[in-house]
Amino acid sequence: MSEQRSTKKRIVSGMRPTGSLHLGNYEGALKNWVKLQDSGEYECYFFIADLHALTSDYADTSALKQNTIDMTADWLAAGLDPERSTIFIQSAVPQHSELHLILSAVTPLGWLERVPTYKEQRENITEKDIGNYAFLGYPVLQAADIIMYKGNYVPVGKDQAAHVELTREIARRFNNFFGDVFPEPQALHTEVLVLPGTDGRKMSKSYGNAIYLADAEDVIREKARMMITDRTRIKRTDPGHPENCDVCQMHRFFTSPETADSFDDDCRGARIGCVDRKRVLADAIIERYGAIASRSRELRSNPDQVVDVLLKGSNRARIEAEKTMAQVRKAIKIDWV
Ligand code: TRP
């Protein structure tokens, strides 16, 4: 194998295995990963952060494997390509755990206690106990994930900004002690996008208001049918108020502005009913995501194939990770093996 590293910049990003992705996850994150991969400008590493899931959901890990498979099926269906990107499972590259421990030695406790997501979650999460050691170290593990591959760019949502910043600080501190091993990565923030859910709140798995990328047509139609429209429009002949209607607002997201404007006009003029608009909304969603949905369902019916992709990707990632770890062990002068 050549020791030469490609001159391309490296992209590293991961998602916790929460299972099926909804349309908001796709529009806000996955679509951007696919775009970065397709640009051909980067070497991409995308992984399932299952050890990160363990830091908060350690009490019940029974869904982890299935969630990993479902999420990977969505990734592949959406266009992540194992020929062009290294797609892997964090835990299948044990070097992440090793680097996490080494970085934890150079990370001051105060840095971790000040991370805004940590403080926020300690205050707000009551349904599970996150007073454990690993949860505080969550950003240290994330730093290990990123600098393991000497990542240059980290495509993440704005909520992850503090974690990437901390990664830079940890890399800098390591380099100060042990010599220049790691480049400092930069966040590539995706534009903030809030997709409405079927109940008008932000689309979120935990609100139970999400439409999933892999949802079948009849499921999408049923979800659209259950949505709330303009509450003041009682009869079909009443004029509607599209600005107060979840269905109209959501339809606007999934179609062109011209089409949405023209439907809004018809709604105001009572020329179209809410049931019809729901049907058009469902059609628009199916048209836009139908191909991804059927590919994802096909992959799910073939889990061995999905696992095979992940294990092959993990083998590749492990080779890169081991190169970095050899340098790290040497740098810290703990290099017996
Ligand atoms: N913390 C990230 C999130 O919740 C997931 C993650 C883990 C990650 N390791 C990473 C993202 C490394 C980017 C790079 O979304």
Side-chain angles (χ1 to χ4, degrees), residues 12-16 33 45 47-49 52 90 96 138-139 141-146 153-157 159-160 163-164 167:
V12 181
S13 198
M15 289 184 201
R16 278 167 299 141
W33 288 11
Y45 288 81
F47 65 95
I48 303 281
H52 274 106
Q90 181 188 37
H96 286 241
Y138 183 108
L141 180 57
Q142 185 161 349
D145 298 337
I146 296 166
Y153 299 111
V154 188
V156 282
D159 62 314
Q160 296 291 310
H163 290 170
V164 178
T167 301

Side-chain angles (χ1 to χ4, degrees), residues 235-277:
K235 297 195 298 290
R236 168 75 171 73
T237 49
D238 293 339
H241 304 87
E243 54 288 347
N244 297 330
C245 166
D246 290 351
V247 172
C248 302
Q249 293 306 312
M250 198 151 168
H251 183 216
R252 178 164 290 280
F253 184 87
F254 294 112
T255 190
S256 68
E258 298 76 39
T259 308
D261 286 345
S262 132
F263 272 98
D264 284 0
D265 276 349
D266 286 347
C267 169
R268 287 192 192 94
R271 289 183 298 277
I272 176 179
C274 300
V275 176
D276 299 323
R277 187 84 188 251

Side-chain angles (χ1 to χ4, degrees), residues 48 51 61 87 91 110 119 124 137 146 148 159 166 191 195 212-214 225 240 254-255 265 270 273 279 282 285:
I48 303 281
L51 296 174
T61 55
I87 300 168
S91 66
K119 288 199 291 199
N124 296 325
I146 296 166
M148 179 71 82
D159 62 314
L166 195 71
E191 59 188 283
L195 200 59
Y212 292 94
L213 211 46
R225 204 180 62 78
F254 294 112
T255 190
D265 276 349
R279 196 163 29 75
I285 295 175

Side-chain angles (χ1 to χ4, degrees), residues 122-167:
R122 280 307 301 272
E123 280 159 25
N124 296 325
I125 294 183
T126 50
E127 74 275 11
K128 55 194 171 196
D129 176 13
I130 50 170
N132 54 330
Y133 171 52
F135 189 71
L136 178 66
Y138 183 108
V140 184
L141 180 57
Q142 185 161 349
D145 298 337
I146 296 166
I147 67 179
M148 179 71 82
Y149 303 98
K150 303 193 175 178
N152 304 102
Y153 299 111
V154 188
V156 282
K158 281 254 161 53
D159 62 314
Q160 296 291 310
H163 290 170
V164 178
E165 193 46 45
L166 195 71
T167 301

